[in-house]
Every structure is written in structure tokens, then in C-alpha cells.
Amino acid sequence: MNDNIYLLAVLLLAAGVTFLIRAVPLLLGSRFVQSHPWMRSLGDFLPLSVMVILVLAGLMDAASQRMDLGFAGLVSIAVVVLVQWIRRSPLLSIFAGAALYVAYANGASPAVF
């Protein structure tokens, strides 16, 4: 078999399986998701837990590269929480925390903190 045809077949098969895995929840319909209490509780809990894991992984990675970035990450998280608590705007709070972190990581003065 030609190598290019084999690679194309493998790529199409992987894409098809990935599409089916992602499409199955939509094909089952929202009736199953809304009617099952375990699925509803998972839908409420999972997004927050994924975000916490991503934030902690990012902080650990940043702190392992530069010790001062761990502090900047903690301050940025505090800013996100504070802005979210005051303004109730996820976009604004994420932007404020990210801007503060990026400014510090790219050489802003520590006096900002």
C-alpha cells in the first residue's frame, strides 16, 4: 500500500473517531443529560474543577521557571477574584488578571504589586 494513502486513511479514521466521540453527547440529546441527576451535578462541578486544575498547573509551571512568577500568579488570581466579586463580569476579571500577570512577566516593576 502506498504510504501516502495509508497516512491519509489513518488521519481520516482518527478524525472520524474524534468526531463521533464528540458528537455522541449531542446525538443522545439533552433529555438524557437533563433527566439524570448525576449528569446535572457533573455539569455543575466539572467546569470549576477543570479551571482550578489548569490554574494550579499554570502556577506551578510558572513558579518552576521563575520564582517571582509564582507570586505574580497569586496576585493576579486575587485580582481576578476581587474584580469578579465587585463587577460580576467574567470577561473583565479574566482580562484584568491576565493583563497584570503578563505585564509583570514581561518586566513590569515589582513596585506595581
Side-chain angles (χ1 to χ4, degrees):
M1 178 181 262
N2 189 355
D3 287 339
N4 291 335
I5 295 173
Y6 176 76
L7 289 175
L8 182 63
V10 168
L11 181 68
L12 290 174
L13 182 64
V17 169
T18 301
F19 178 77
L20 283 176
I21 290 172
R22 306 260 167 104
V24 164
L26 297 174
L27 294 175
L28 289 176
S30 62
R31 285 175 275 140
F32 173 73
V33 174
Q34 291 175 352
S35 65
H36 200 284
W38 186 76
M39 291 298 287
R40 273 184 280 149
S41 66
L42 186 64
D44 293 339
F45 175 72
L46 196 58
L48 177 62
S49 60
V50 167
M51 290 306 298
V52 168
I53 290 170
L54 288 173
V55 166
L56 290 177
L59 278 177
M60 289 175 53
D61 184 50
S64 69
Q65 293 175 7
R66 280 180 41 194
M67 189 57 90
D68 60 337
L69 287 183
F71 176 71
L74 291 175
V75 171
S76 298
I77 290 172
V79 166
V80 168
V81 170
L82 182 67
V83 171
Q84 178 63 26
W85 184 50
I86 293 171
R87 298 294 303 255
R88 303 272 190 232
S89 171
L91 185 61
L92 180 63
S93 60
I94 291 170
F95 180 76
L100 185 63
Y101 182 80
V102 168
Y104 185 77
N106 287 321
S109 171
V112 172
F113 294 108

